[in-house]
Amino acid sequence: MMRQSAWRQITAPELWMGLFALALILSLTMAEHMDQRPALQTSPVLHRHKREWLWNNLYVEEERPTYFQYYLGKLKSTKSGDRTHYVIEGDGANTIFKVDKKGDIFVTERLDREVKSKYHLRARLLDTSNNLVEKEEAFVILVTDINDNDPVFTKSFNASIKERSKRGTKVIEVTATDADDPTTANGELDYKLLEGGDFFNIDSTTGIITTKYENLDRETQSSYVVVVQAQDLRGLKQGGTATTSVTIAVSDINDNIATFTKSSYVFSVKEDMKRGQRIDTMVLEDRDEIQNKDPIFNIAPPSDIFEMERSQIKDGILMLKQGLDYETKSSYTFFVHVKENRLQSPADNKDNPLIKAQVTIQVLDVDEQPEFSKSIYNFNVIEEMMVNNIGVVSARDPDQANKAIRYSIEDKDSHIGINPITGQLFTVRKLDRELVANHMFQVKAKEEPNGLESFVNVNILVIDINDNKPELVIEEIFVCENDMAGTVIGTISATDKDDNLPAFSFTLVKPNANFSVIDNNDNTSNIVLKHGGFSLKDSRDYVIEIGISDGGRPPMSSITSLPIKVCRCDNKRIHTQCKAAQLKMGVSVHALIVILLCILTILVIVILIAMRNRHQKDALVTLGKSEVHEQLVTYDEEGGGEMDTNGYDVSILTSARNDGSMSMMQGPSLYAMVKKPPTACKGDMAVMIEVKKDDADHDRDGIPYDTLHIYGYEGPESLAGSLSSLDSSSTGSNLDYDFLNDWGPRFKTLAELYGVDGSEGSDSQY
């Protein structure tokens, strides 16, 4: 803050500043006089140049009022005279600072050292013609400081320190700024604590705050507010001051022991609780913050059934480690101990902390599901046999009631049955390993009469027997025209669906004059040619019957016919042309049954189609020259009059009218069944409609209609005349169709066709 009245009253600091400035001026003047003394005559060559300008640095006090310009100093030169004058240039020249002819310098404005502390100027001495008399010389005007600014704290201060910190531990450094000259007392600051001195100290020069004692306790007081004062003039009462508040937070350490809230706990647990589930929480009391809370739990004596874990908020969680059984043991009692890890000793609550608690577990009885003696049952069954005693599945009621158990298999299509009382398994039908090698199913055990139920998996492994005949693996076997006796023309092998290790042997069922079979003793045999001389021109087919035995117990055998082709081959026995051999292979009974079923199915379908076609009727309409029938049309909704040409085809009627003939369609007429009477009498139309309705009711292939349109009762023999619009004419009619204009725009076209002028004699607004 600027002090406008500092110049009016001289205080002690200002007096000292004035004396300091006076001493500085005197020292500079003495130095100037020393410069004007002759140089030492140590050398005849060296001479000191005499200065023409005679001045030193000029000083001006800041914030001095300028109601009128005031004298600052004088420019002096040995060459000045009545015919010379001074000129200055530089910072503030001729505005802030002015010089007269005699060299006197005046100040015209109030100066602020904090804005600018030095002004650099240059002076020249000119004659009346403005010619340079004395060369240009630079000089400086210094602005001296006064204590016109108070200290300022430029930011807020916050700090933290751990509780129980040692005495003298640094907390924070607090600093303030002062715009006054820092080399003088005006800018030198002194710090002290106005509040908080009971727990903290501050360095008066640096502003560093330190702890005063070692008894800071976060649980007692978690933060402190310290008020710091900064004062210039080195703390003298005349100096300006500034204050700030410093918030010091005391951070936590682990210096408290976690304790139980009570000495004993009683928990009730159902015996069917799953292992790994939480029983309950044992809450701890710890004055430390959660990040410094580090309890460790132990159960005494050690238990295999219960264990302690730590929750997210670091309380104790009692967990079930193994299953409970009320019938075996209904209660448990043990102790839980807790201790702190990484505790800063001595603890604040070291006197009698509650670190041991007794825990009592009361097991509650529940109705439990039946328990099987095994988690899974495995049995073996020989295939193709009915077994009455595969094995027994047993379960019991674990409760004291010990209810009876009833067994069942949920899968109704299972090959295995179970005795509902004893749990004995048996086969319902023979098992075939080649179809299903493993039977997996579930057995249900249910308490009687309507109790709980449980399930267990049963696995039946089907043991193989030798019940499948070996099958020949047929490959292309051919004999070349140029093959010689002893040539191996092919190798045959076999497969068996049974699981036993096969030992196939191959033989010729009937002796053959052309081929022989030689067993290789590795489940294969070679077909060897007895002689050569085969030809494509030979019309005979060659087929041999191979007998195969699998060597099992009992041994199974089969006979297969093997065709052999005759081919023309190259030197590498690659055939280029072959004569197809007649394949004479037997057909199995299963294949014959499938073929017969397919044939029967096709015959039934053909018969059904033929019967359906016999009941279908073809409705053909016979058209004569004098009798024309329009199409029979059913409308789902009302049509649009004669403009509706989509409902029926008028072109047929038009062609009949113009040509006088139509192509007659073959077949009986749809209306041939109705005989028209020679003369119309009352009731004929009703009789005909009843006949048509009766025909429609008994026609199974006809589509049911809500309405029946009859156009057959017309023509020249009918008193009603033809219903066709081709014989009608608008010009020959005696009817008045003016009313069509009253029906609106939809009937406008129809009115125009009948020659009605809608503009004449019509009162319609349309």
Side-chain angles (χ1 to χ4, degrees):
M1 183 180 70
M2 302 295 294
R3 296 180 179 173
Q4 303 296 336
S5 59
W7 63 279
R8 297 178 180 177
Q9 183 177 1
I10 300 177
T11 61
E14 293 174 347
L15 179 60
W16 284 106
M17 285 298 299
L19 294 175
F20 174 75
L22 180 60
L24 183 60
I25 293 173
L26 290 175
S27 62
L28 292 174
T29 304
M30 292 178 65
E32 182 69 20
H33 286 297
M34 292 296 293
D35 291 339
Q36 294 178 1
R37 291 184 302 171
L40 296 176
Q41 303 297 322
T42 58
S43 174
V45 180
L46 299 176
H47 298 281
R48 182 175 179 84
H49 177 70
K50 183 179 180 181
R51 294 178 56 187
E52 286 80 8
W53 289 103
L54 301 175
W55 72 66
N56 293 295
N57 291 336
L58 301 177
Y59 297 88
V60 58
E61 187 182 77
E62 68 169 332
E63 301 298 340
R64 181 174 178 178
T66 55
Y67 302 112
F68 304 98
Q69 65 180 16
Y70 59 88
Y71 177 78
L72 175 62
K74 187 177 183 63
L75 297 177
K76 295 180 181 180
S77 176
T78 56
K79 295 182 180 181
S80 63
D82 296 336
R83 301 180 61 83
T84 61
H85 63 277
Y86 293 92
V87 176
I88 60 175
E89 295 177 352
D91 299 337
N94 303 316
T95 55
I96 301 175
F97 306 103
K98 293 184 179 180
V99 64
D100 60 8
K101 184 178 180 181
K102 296 179 181 181
D104 293 332
I105 300 176
F106 296 91
V107 181
T108 63
E109 296 181 9
R110 183 193 297 266
L111 302 181
D112 187 356
R113 189 202 67 84
E114 286 72 39
V115 176
K116 192 174 180 65
S117 61
K118 292 181 180 181
Y119 292 86
H120 297 272
L121 296 97
R122 300 180 302 278
R124 289 185 296 169
L125 183 62
L126 305 177
D127 57 15
T128 54
S129 299
N130 291 329
N131 294 322
L132 186 64
V133 176
E134 180 69 82
K135 66 179 182 180
E136 182 178 277
E137 186 75 12
F139 66 97
V140 179
I141 297 178
L142 301 175
V143 182
T144 59
D145 184 49
I146 64 172
N147 192 22
D148 59 341
N149 290 279
D150 288 338
V152 176
F153 289 99
T154 58
K155 62 179 182 179
S156 59
F157 296 92
N158 296 287
S160 65
I161 186 171
K162 290 184 178 181
E163 60 178 335
R164 292 193 178 190
S165 294
K166 293 183 179 180
R167 180 180 179 181
T169 302
K170 178 181 176 181
V171 180
I172 192 174
E173 182 177 357
V174 179
T175 57
T177 59
D178 195 319
D180 293 327
D181 189 354
T183 62
T184 66
N186 297 332
E188 293 184 11
L189 302 180
D190 181 82
Y191 299 94
K192 65 179 179 180
L193 296 178
L194 299 182
E195 295 181 11
D198 296 339
F199 300 95
F200 302 96
N201 291 325
I202 189 169
D203 189 286
S204 60
T205 303
T206 61
I208 296 176
I209 299 176
T210 57
T211 57
K212 194 172 185 177
Y213 304 108
E214 298 180 356
N215 61 349
L216 293 179
D217 186 8
R218 187 199 66 85
E219 290 75 32
T220 303
Q221 186 171 351
S222 60
S223 65
Y224 297 85
V225 178
V226 177
V227 179
V228 180
Q229 174 184 279
Q231 187 174 24
D232 58 14
L233 290 181
R234 301 188 184 94
L236 296 177
K237 293 182 178 180
Q238 295 84 356
T241 61
T243 59
T244 186
S245 296
V246 181
T247 301
I248 301 175
V250 181
S251 59
D252 184 53
I253 62 173
N254 189 12
D255 59 348
N256 286 275
I257 300 174
T259 61
F260 292 109
T261 57
K262 53 185 179 180
S263 60
S264 63
Y265 297 83
V266 178
F267 302 119
S268 297
V269 183
K270 293 182 178 180
E271 64 171 333
D272 62 347
M273 176 179 282
K274 303 297 182 182
R275 64 183 63 184
Q277 289 188 339
R278 181 182 69 89
I279 297 176
D280 213 323
T281 300
M282 302 177 67
V283 179
L284 295 179
E285 186 180 79
D286 194 335
R287 299 177 63 192
D288 293 326
E289 293 180 345
I290 189 170
Q291 66 270 17
N292 296 314
K293 190 176 178 181
D294 194 10
I296 299 175
F297 300 93
N298 291 309
I299 294 179
S303 175
D304 295 332
I305 302 176
F306 307 99
E307 62 181 351
M308 292 295 298
E309 293 184 359
R310 202 162 69 176
S311 68
Q312 292 184 350
I313 58 175
K314 299 181 180 179
D315 289 328
I317 300 178
L318 183 60
M319 304 292 295
L320 182 62
K321 192 175 180 180
Q322 290 187 4
L324 301 175
D325 186 7
Y326 173 82
E327 289 72 26
T328 303
K329 191 172 184 179
S330 60
S331 67
Y332 298 85
T333 301
F334 51 88
F335 290 93
V336 176
H337 297 264
V338 62
K339 67 177 182 178
E340 281 283 346
N341 190 26
R342 296 189 297 271
L343 179 68
Q344 298 290 329
S345 299
D348 290 345
N349 59 340
K350 62 181 181 299
D351 298 330
N352 299 322
L354 186 58
I355 58 175
K356 182 176 76 171
Q358 179 178 306
V359 178
T360 300
I361 303 295
Q362 296 178 348
V363 183
L364 303 179
D365 186 26
V366 296
D367 189 8
E368 299 178 85
Q369 297 176 343
E371 292 182 355
F372 286 94
S373 59
K374 297 180 181 179
S375 59
I376 186 172
Y377 290 86
N378 296 291
F379 300 103
N380 297 332
V381 176
I382 298 175
E383 67 172 332
E384 302 298 339
M385 293 182 61
M386 296 297 293
V387 182
N388 294 326
N389 186 11
I390 299 175
V392 176
V393 175
S394 63
R396 69 176 185 88
D397 182 10
D399 299 320
Q400 288 183 341
N402 194 20
K403 297 178 182 179
I405 304 298
R406 189 173 186 86
Y407 304 94
S408 63
I409 296 176
E410 295 296 300
D411 186 6
K412 302 302 180 182
D413 297 328
S414 176
H415 289 65
I416 308 298
I418 189 169
N419 188 304
I421 306 300
T422 63
Q424 180 173 304
L425 299 174
F426 56 88
T427 56
V428 177
R429 60 184 67 92
K430 293 181 180 181
L431 306 182
D432 188 352
R433 191 203 66 84
E434 286 71 39
L435 294 178
V436 180
N438 243 335
H439 291 265
M440 291 285 296
F441 56 92
Q442 282 190 330
V443 173
K444 180 176 74 173
K446 185 176 182 179
E447 297 175 354
E448 297 241 60
N450 293 314
L452 300 178
E453 59 187 32
S454 60
F455 296 86
V456 70
N457 290 328
V458 179
N459 180 30
I460 302 294
L461 178 64
V462 182
I463 304 300
D464 185 45
I465 63 173
N466 193 27
D467 60 342
N468 288 277
K469 295 180 180 181
E471 297 178 0
L472 181 67
V473 178
I474 300 176
E475 297 182 355
E476 185 182 38
I477 304 295
F478 62 92
V479 59
C480 296
E481 290 180 320
N482 55 355
D483 283 342
M484 304 298 291
T487 302
V488 177
I489 62 173
T491 301
I492 57 176
S493 60
T495 59
D496 196 330
K497 294 180 180 179
D498 293 322
D499 195 28
N500 299 324
L501 185 65
F504 297 120
S505 60
F506 303 89
T507 59
L508 282 175
V509 177
K510 297 178 181 180
N512 193 288
N514 300 312
F515 310 98
S516 63
V517 175
I518 299 177
D519 199 329
N520 296 325
N521 296 322
D522 59 355
N523 292 326
T524 64
S525 290
N526 292 334
I527 299 177
V528 181
L529 193 63
K530 288 184 175 182
H531 60 82
F534 291 89
S535 175
L536 288 175
K537 297 178 181 180
D538 190 354
S539 61
R540 289 179 297 174
D541 292 328
Y542 298 95
V543 178
I544 59 175
E545 292 185 346
I546 305 295
I548 310 171
S549 176
D550 60 6
R553 293 184 181 180
M556 301 294 290
S557 60
S558 64
I559 298 174
T560 305
S561 296
L562 177 64
I564 299 177
K565 298 186 296 184
V566 179
C567 300
R568 180 172 292 127
C569 308
D570 57 13
N571 294 332
K572 296 182 179 180
R573 207 175 182 278
I574 298 176
H575 58 76
T576 57
Q577 182 182 355
C578 293
K579 181 184 75 172
Q582 182 179 358
L583 183 61
K584 296 182 180 179
M585 297 184 64
V587 180
S588 64
V589 177
H590 296 290
L592 287 175
I593 294 174
V594 172
I595 293 172
L596 289 175
L597 288 176
C598 292
I599 294 173
L600 289 175
T601 302
I602 294 172
L603 288 175
V604 171
I605 293 174
V606 170
I607 293 171
L608 290 175
I609 293 174
M611 293 176 64
R612 183 177 183 275
N613 291 336
R614 288 184 60 188
H615 289 83
Q616 290 181 345
K617 297 181 178 180
D618 297 330
L620 301 175
V621 180
T622 304
L623 298 178
K625 295 183 180 180
S626 60
E627 181 176 342
V628 179
H629 300 281
E630 294 180 353
Q631 294 175 336
L632 181 63
V633 180
T634 58
Y635 290 88
D636 294 334
E637 57 182 276
E638 185 178 355
E642 288 191 4
M643 291 300 294
D644 185 2
T645 59
N646 296 324
Y648 51 87
D649 191 0
V650 187
S651 62
I652 299 176
L653 304 178
T654 305
S655 62
R657 179 71 175 177
N658 295 334
D659 299 338
S661 64
M662 295 186 65
S663 60
M664 302 301 292
M665 300 181 65
Q666 299 296 327
S669 173
L670 180 63
Y671 307 104
M673 298 177 62
V674 181
K675 296 183 179 180
K676 301 177 184 179
T679 57
C681 60
K682 184 177 180 180
D684 290 342
M685 178 61 72
V687 173
M688 184 195 69
I689 292 176
E690 290 298 330
V691 173
K692 298 301 293 182
K693 287 173 59 180
D694 184 68
D695 291 343
D697 291 339
H698 292 84
D699 187 0
R700 293 180 300 175
D701 298 324
I703 300 175
Y705 291 102
D706 293 337
T707 59
L708 182 64
H709 298 270
I710 302 299
Y711 295 95
Y713 198 73
E714 59 174 304
E717 298 179 2
S718 174
L719 297 178
S722 176
L723 298 180
S724 175
S725 61
L726 299 179
D727 293 331
S728 62
S729 175
S730 60
T731 57
S733 176
N734 295 325
L735 296 177
D736 185 8
Y737 294 97
D738 290 343
F739 63 89
L740 294 176
N741 289 311
D742 299 333
W743 288 7
R746 295 183 63 183
F747 295 87
K748 182 179 178 181
T749 303
L750 185 60
E752 292 176 356
L753 290 175
Y754 283 87
V756 180
D757 188 359
S759 62
E760 297 178 0
S762 177
D763 297 334
S764 175
Q765 60 180 348
Y766 301 100

